[in-house]
């Protein structure tokens, strides 16, 4: 189809995609370059509700309205486990390009979950673990076992990370190993396990 | 009939709620100084009939205890305040809709700690819902919030290491400690949903017995 | 984290209530301020939703549909931030509604006379107002619904 003068001058952004890691979702796209000009971009989203119940309306993301960077944090708006559509267009003065829309709808269930950063320590006979705080959406499944008793693994679920978490009391002279994975209940998925770390208790 | 009122209104009219004890609180209107009197009314949302609070008629203080009137924490409420000063009055000024269940703040639990040579035992008592009379049977916030739990923080004063336990029941025994060592405990009440978080209880330190 | 397995009769639904509560808390004052009618409640009077403890499955099934079909679409405001939060809540309800459909197909979600009567009362309350006021009032009462949903 023939492009109008306006569109010929301002092509739509290309290569739009979602980068989603640990429930943080970013829309990215390739820049539209117009020599000597600053091109700006605006982003809108549409959830399954809008498509099926609200006349397919699109909702603007104000933080990503007329921005110059080619990335938008859409985490706050992708807040349900349903398929979302996203679109971006270029703006130059009063002119706007066509919208570019995701090729495939995005559901946060596909987010990439990284193994948690974990630090195991002891305080006397007490086995302790410190985990990185990934926000309220995350829980941690912590597995620990006494070396030599690999078949008897204990599991503890930790929901709120505020500081060092007490895992268990150790036997004298025994070595204990710990590994953890994150778990996101909203999407019912877990990460891979962190590298196991082993520590030894006092000899008694 | 409503008088014509031109006084500035009381400000920041809101409920201050702790453990479902619900106090209506406000700031005086600007520029009037001493001698301002107030009256208070409230309503149950959905019924909508304003009810005057007789004990808070012509009062000079800037709070009014509406705990009794808002005792049913499954209802929602509005309250309103009017100021009077040297023959003049202000308009009624209302609170936002008050939902006791989600808008209250909660206390940390009561904490008692005992020790043996190698362990400490921590017993927690959940904060109670405000009672209309001392004789009334206590209602623990445990019964109001099914998701109530505790974050117990234990500090080993010798190693300076602090560990946290998350527990749902109200007792915790920490075994295999060092004898003759001081351990300090403070505890936070934590409701998962609606999300309510108390401050930490006062630090309670105890020494394990000597060998 | 506020994710809970909520029981509604035979149906056990995992949902993140805190995500919905956070979105609602962000817009509660704005939405409730638009509702000046204190004499009518959609969910509280004359029957308080908190007293619906029979046929919870039936009631929640109807209320999810009520909010998705009748409420959210009539709540658009002039405030983009509020609209985004309403979208979050609406899409979360849709997600829960879909989970419910799966459960409903497997189980019989009994609707006794009492439950039907009470749901009719909710529709009667809703019908007393024009569509926008009724929808805005219903949205403003979301915490009543969430409080009830979380009762064991």
């Amino acid at each position: 189809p023939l492009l109008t003068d306006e569109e010929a001058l301002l092509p739509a952004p290309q290569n739009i995609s979602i980068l989603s890691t640990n429930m943080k979702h970013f829309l990215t796209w390739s820049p539209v370059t117009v020599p000597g000009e600053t091109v700006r971009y605006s982003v809108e989203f549409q959830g399954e509700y809008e498509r099926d119940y609200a006349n397919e309306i699109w909702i603007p993301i104000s933080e990503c309205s007329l921005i110059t960077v080619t990335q938008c944090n859409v985490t706050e708006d992708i807040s349900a486990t349903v398929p979302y559509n996203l679109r971006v267009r270029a703006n130059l003065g009063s002119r706007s390009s066509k919208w570019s829309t995701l090729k495939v709808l995005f559901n946060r269930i596909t987010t990439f979950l990284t193994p948690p950063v974990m630090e195991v320590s002891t305080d006397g006979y007490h086995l302790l673990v410190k985990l990185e705080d990934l926000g309220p959406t995350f829980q941690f499944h912590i597995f620990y076992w006494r070396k030599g008793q690999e078949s008897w693994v204990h599991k503890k679920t930790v929901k709120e990370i505020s500081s060092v978490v007490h895992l268990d009391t150790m036997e004298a002279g025994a070595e204990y190993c710990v590994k953890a994975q994150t778990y996101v209940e909203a999407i019912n998925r877990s990460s891979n396990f962190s590298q196991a770390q082993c520590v030894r208790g006092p000899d008694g | 009939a409503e008088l014509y009122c031109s006084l500035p209104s009381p400000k920041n009219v809101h409920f201050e709620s702790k453990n479902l004890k619900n106090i209506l609180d406000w700031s005086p209107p600007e520029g009037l100084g001493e001698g301002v009197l107030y009256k208070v009314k409230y309503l149950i949302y959905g019924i909508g009939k304003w009810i005057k609070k007789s004990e808070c008629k012509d009062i000079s203080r800037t709070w009014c205890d509406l705990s009794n009137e808002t005792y049913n924490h499954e209802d929602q409420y509005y309250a309103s305040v009017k100021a009077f000063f040297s023959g003049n009055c202000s308009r009624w000024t209302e609170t936002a809709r008050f939902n006791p269940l989600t808008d209250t703040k909660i206390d940390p639990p009561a904490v008692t700690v005992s020790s043996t040579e190698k362990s400490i035992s921590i017993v927690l008592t959940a904060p109670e819902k405000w009672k209309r009379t001392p004789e009334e049977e206590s209602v623990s916030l445990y019964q109001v919030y099914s998701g109530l739990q505790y974050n117990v923080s234990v500090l080993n004063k010798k190693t300076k290491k602090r560990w946290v336990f998350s527990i749902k029941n109200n007792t915790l025994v920490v075994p295999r400690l060092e004898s003759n060592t001081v351990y300090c405990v403070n505890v936070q009440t934590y409701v998962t949903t609606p999300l309510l978080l108390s401050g930490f209880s006062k630090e309670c330190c105890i020494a394990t017995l000597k060998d | 984290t506020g994710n809970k397995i909520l029981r509604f009769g035979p149906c056990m639904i995992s949902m993140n209530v805190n995500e919905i509560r956070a979105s609602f808390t962000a817009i509660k004052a704005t939405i409730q301020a638009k509702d000046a009618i204190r004499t009518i409640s959609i969910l509280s009077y004359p029957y308080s939703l908190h007293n619906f403890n029979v046929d919870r499955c039936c009631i929640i099934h109807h209320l999810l549909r009520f909010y998705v079909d009748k409420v959210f679409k009539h709540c658009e405001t002039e405030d983009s931030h509020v609209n985004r939060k309403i979208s979050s809540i609406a899409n979360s309800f849709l997600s829960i509604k879909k989970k419910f459909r799966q459960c409903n197909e497997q189980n019989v979600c009994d609707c006794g006379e009492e439950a039907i009567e009470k749901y009719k009362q909710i529709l009667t309350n809703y019908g007393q107002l024009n569509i926008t006021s009724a929808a805005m009032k219903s949205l403003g009462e979301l915490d009543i619904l969430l409080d009830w949903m979380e009762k064991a």
Side-chain angles (χ1 to χ4, degrees), chain A residues 47-105:
Chain A
E48 185 176 18
Y49 178 81
E50 282 73 32
R51 276 195 303 283
D52 294 355
Y53 292 86
N55 309 313
E56 303 185 9
I57 59 167
W58 289 85
I59 301 175
I61 298 178
S62 38
E63 293 84 356
C64 300
S65 178
L66 300 176
I67 55 174
T68 54
V69 294
T70 56
Q71 169 179 298
C72 171
N73 184 344
V74 298
T75 304
E76 196 184 326
D77 294 296
I78 310 289
S79 57
T81 308
V82 295
Y84 279 83
N85 205 349
L86 288 138
R87 67 182 185 180
V88 56
R89 73 177 170 187
N91 306 88
L92 187 55
S94 62
R95 288 176 285 152
S96 301
S97 76
K98 287 191 171 187
W99 290 102
S100 279
T101 307
L102 275 180
K103 291 191 172 47
V104 177
L105 299 182

Side-chain angles (χ1 to χ4, degrees), chain C residues 24-89:
Chain C
F24 178 71
T25 303
I27 61 173
K28 170 181 170 176
T30 306
I31 296 296
Q32 291 181 346
K34 291 176 185 288
D35 173 14
I37 301 166
R38 309 288 163 66
T39 51
I40 294 174
S41 164
I42 306 293
L43 300 180
S44 291
Y45 282 86
Y47 307 120
S48 168
L49 185 59
H50 282 286
N51 300 334
F52 289 25
N53 294 312
V54 176
D55 300 341
R56 277 170 61 92
C57 182
C58 167
I59 294 290
I60 190 63
H61 176 62
H62 282 81
L63 283 176
L64 285 170
R65 216 172 54 197
F66 169 75
Y67 270 88
V68 166
D69 292 347
K70 280 178 168 299
V71 173
F72 297 126
K73 65 179 70 173
H74 298 300
C75 288
E76 191 158 3
T77 74
E78 63 297 334
D79 182 326
S80 150
H81 175 66
V82 171
N83 293 341
R84 289 161 70 182
K85 292 301 175 187
I86 293 173
S87 168
S88 290
I89 296 169

Side-chain angles (χ1 to χ4, degrees), chain B residues 32-33 40 66 81 103 110 116 130 138 141 151 173-174 178 182 199-201:
Chain B
L32 297 187
V40 167
L66 290 176
V81 184
D103 299 346
T116 66
W130 172 80
S138 294
L141 287 189
N151 290 334
V173 176
V174 185
E178 281 180 70
V182 173
F200 273 96
S201 60

Side-chain angles (χ1 to χ4, degrees), chain B residues 64-85:
Chain B
C64 171
D65 190 340
L66 290 176
S67 302
N68 203 48
E69 290 74 16
T70 55
Y71 187 77
N72 180 355
H73 57 257
E74 289 180 343
D75 269 332
Q76 306 201 354
Y77 307 89
Y78 285 89
S80 192
V81 184
K82 190 185 189 71
F84 294 85
F85 182 71

Side-chain angles (χ1 to χ4, degrees), chain A residues 121-126 128 136 156 159-160 162-167 169-172 204, chain B residues 118 149 151 156 159-166 168 174-178 183 190 192 195:
Chain A
S121 61
T122 64
D123 187 356
Y125 288 99
H126 295 273
L128 311 171
K156 181 167 256 190
K159 296 196 175 186
E160 293 308 322
S162 47
S163 51
V164 176
V165 175
H166 183 280
L167 271 187
T169 309
M170 301 185 285
E171 297 300 326
Chain B
K118 296 279 188 184
Q149 52 194 288
N151 290 334
N156 179 336
T159 63
K160 300 286 189 289
K161 286 190 177 178
R162 181 183 295 276
W163 345 315
V164 172
F165 300 78
S166 246
K168 286 203 165 124
V174 185
R176 300 198 73 115
L177 296 175
E178 281 180 70
Y183 291 89
Y190 162 57
T192 51
L195 195 56

Side-chain angles (χ1 to χ4, degrees), chain B residues 79-129:
Chain B
S80 192
V81 184
K82 190 185 189 71
F84 294 85
F85 182 71
S86 63
N88 196 352
C89 54
S90 77
R91 286 181 308 108
W92 287 100
T93 306
E94 283 179 13
T95 64
R97 192 179 305 172
F98 174 61
N99 177 348
L101 210 52
T102 56
D103 299 346
T104 198
K105 298 182 181 72
I106 53 176
D107 271 337
V111 180
T112 55
V113 185
S114 56
S115 69
T116 66
E117 214 179 286
K118 296 279 188 184
S119 72
I120 59 173
S121 301
I122 302 165
V123 176
L124 309 174
T125 308
E128 285 176 3
K129 177 177 179 180

Side-chain angles (χ1 to χ4, degrees), chain A residues 14-204:
Chain A
Q14 298 301 311
N15 307 318
I16 86 167
S17 66
I18 287 259
L19 296 178
S20 176
T21 305
N22 289 339
M23 296 293 269
K24 296 278 191 288
H25 322 300
F26 292 85
L27 185 72
T28 67
W29 57 90
S30 303
V32 171
T33 49
V34 176
E37 298 282 0
T38 302
V39 174
R40 293 175 181 279
Y41 307 94
S42 296
V43 176
E44 294 184 348
F45 75 94
Q46 181 191 71
E48 185 176 18
Y49 178 81
E50 282 73 32
R51 276 195 303 283
D52 294 355
Y53 292 86
N55 309 313
E56 303 185 9
I57 59 167
W58 289 85
I59 301 175
I61 298 178
S62 38
E63 293 84 356
C64 300
S65 178
L66 300 176
I67 55 174
T68 54
V69 294
T70 56
Q71 169 179 298
C72 171
N73 184 344
V74 298
T75 304
E76 196 184 326
D77 294 296
I78 310 289
S79 57
T81 308
V82 295
Y84 279 83
N85 205 349
L86 288 138
R87 67 182 185 180
V88 56
R89 73 177 170 187
N91 306 88
L92 187 55
S94 62
R95 288 176 285 152
S96 301
S97 76
K98 287 191 171 187
W99 290 102
S100 279
T101 307
L102 275 180
K103 291 191 172 47
V104 177
L105 299 182
F106 171 69
N107 190 318
R108 65 179 183 175
I109 209 164
T110 62
T111 192
F112 177 68
L113 296 175
T114 60
V117 173
M118 177 183 79
E119 186 190 320
V120 178
S121 61
T122 64
D123 187 356
Y125 288 99
H126 295 273
L127 183 57
L128 311 171
V129 64
K130 184 164 180 45
L131 291 148
E132 64 176 315
D133 186 351
L134 292 169
T137 323
F138 283 79
Q139 296 179 49
F140 296 84
H141 291 159
I142 305 170
F143 297 82
Y144 58 93
W145 61 94
R146 185 172 163 171
K147 219 164 189 184
Q149 295 181 9
E150 277 69 13
S151 59
W152 192 18
V153 177
H154 306 268
K155 175 184 175 185
K156 181 167 256 190
T157 296
V158 173
K159 296 196 175 186
E160 293 308 322
I161 293 296
S162 47
S163 51
V164 176
V165 175
H166 183 280
L167 271 187
D168 212 331
T169 309
M170 301 185 285
E171 297 300 326
E175 191 171 5
Y176 287 78
C177 297
V178 181
K179 66 179 182 179
Q181 63 181 169
T182 62
Y183 175 64
V184 181
E185 278 182 321
I187 58 174
N188 193 24
R189 274 190 47 224
S190 302
S191 72
N192 291 333
F193 281 106
S194 60
Q195 197 68 33
Q197 292 176 31
C198 301
V199 289
R200 171 179 289 278
D203 290 330

Side-chain angles (χ1 to χ4, degrees), chain B residues 1 21 27 38 54 79 95 108 111 116 139 169 179 190 195 211:
Chain B
K21 175 183 173 75
S27 309
Y38 304 96
S54 51
T95 64
V111 180
T116 66
V139 173
N169 48 12
S179 56
Y190 162 57
L195 195 56
D211 264 354

